Amino acid sequence: MAIRLALFVDEFTSYKHWHNALLQGGLIEPPLVSNKPDELIAAERLIISSQRPLSATLSLFSQYQISTVVEQRIAANKPTLLVGAAVHAALAGGGQFDWLGLGVLPGVLTRFQAQHNDVGERVKAPHLGWNALVSLPPHPLWAGISEGAFAYFAHQYYVDQIPPAAQLARVHHGIYFPAVFYQHSLCAVQFRPEISARTGVQFLENFLRWRP
């Protein structure tokens, strides 16, 4: 039987939130929650979400051969969504943070620094809470999401130095940085779609329809 959507999540991720948001986004049957590489590779679409610290996420990925899963899905041009620390683990790594990531996404991981925003308010780190999104040129993954739509963020690091053509939306938290970007059949999102209300549901609906 074909697997329409598989979901790989860690123990800090709420399946209930994902299940509800995906059903609202048009998924007909519940997603298959799996950590089996063959099922993750075979699925038509795959969501990988981790809220673990980066080192623990990399250990989780190593345990379940996620690098192989992602590489084979890229080769087959299968839509794959990375959320949270899964995005950070997909970078090449090295340099300042000295880790070996999957190397399948562009960008550099940067820690939020204490600073003030445009109106003099102190910007908190980590980045926790709702922020308005700045939409970039139209893309099927961003259809139906209006300028200034709000999404929920929860992260200590952000990804920088993403090519402008690969970005779908940006957000401002002390500085502007990419909130959503993609490469090939991979899409990386810095906010939490499963708990971002209508914005998250619309984004997931778009992902379920996306054909890279």
Side-chain angles (χ1 to χ4, degrees):
M1 181 177 178
I3 304 171
R4 183 179 180 192
L5 175 69
L7 185 61
F8 177 91
V9 297
D10 66 358
E11 71 276 19
F12 299 116
T13 301
S14 168
Y15 168 74
K16 180 179 179 181
H17 287 144
W18 276 108
H19 176 259
N20 291 341
L22 286 163
L23 290 183
Q24 291 178 58
L27 188 67
I28 298 173
E29 69 279 351
L32 172 69
V33 180
S34 176
N35 57 21
K36 298 178 180 178
D38 57 338
E39 292 182 338
L40 301 179
I41 293 168
E44 294 177 18
R45 298 171 190 275
L46 172 64
I47 296 174
I48 301 173
S49 177
S50 175
Q51 304 307 319
R52 286 184 172 193
L54 179 58
S55 59
T57 295
L58 287 167
S59 295
L60 184 71
F61 280 16
S62 177
Q63 179 181 357
Y64 295 110
Q65 304 173 48
I66 298 302
S67 179
T68 299
V69 169
V70 172
E71 289 171 358
Q72 292 199 25
R73 292 187 63 83
I74 291 173
N77 202 39
K78 290 186 171 183
T80 305
L81 178 63
L82 304 175
V83 180
V87 176
H88 304 160
L91 305 175
Q96 177 184 357
F97 297 95
D98 194 25
W99 82 91
L100 183 60
L102 305 187
V104 294
L105 283 175
V108 174
L109 192 62
T110 304
R111 182 189 292 270
F112 286 106
Q113 300 295 327
Q115 54 187 300
H116 293 80
N117 63 17
D118 296 339
V119 295
E121 297 170 335
R122 187 173 178 83
V123 173
K124 295 181 179 180
H127 181 194
L128 297 172
W130 294 85
N131 281 84
L133 298 165
V134 178
S135 299
L136 294 169
H139 188 279
L141 279 166
W142 208 241
I145 301 176
S146 61
E147 180 73 20
F150 278 81
Y152 186 83
F153 291 80
H155 54 152
Q156 190 170 9
Y157 301 89
Y158 64 95
V159 180
D160 198 8
Q161 300 182 27
I162 301 297
Q167 298 183 35
L168 301 182
R170 302 174 72 198
V171 68
H172 187 267
H173 185 71
I175 60 168
Y176 281 101
F177 63 90
V180 186
F181 60 99
Y182 73 102
Q183 178 164 281
H184 307 304
S185 59
L186 291 183
C187 181
V189 58
Q190 295 273 274
F191 66 82
R192 300 278 300 277
E194 80 280 19
I195 55 175
S196 288
R198 185 58 206 165
T199 300
V201 168
Q202 182 63 60
F203 176 74
L204 292 174
E205 180 179 333
N206 294 340
F207 175 72
L208 294 174
R209 295 176 177 176
W210 183 40
R211 297 188 180 279

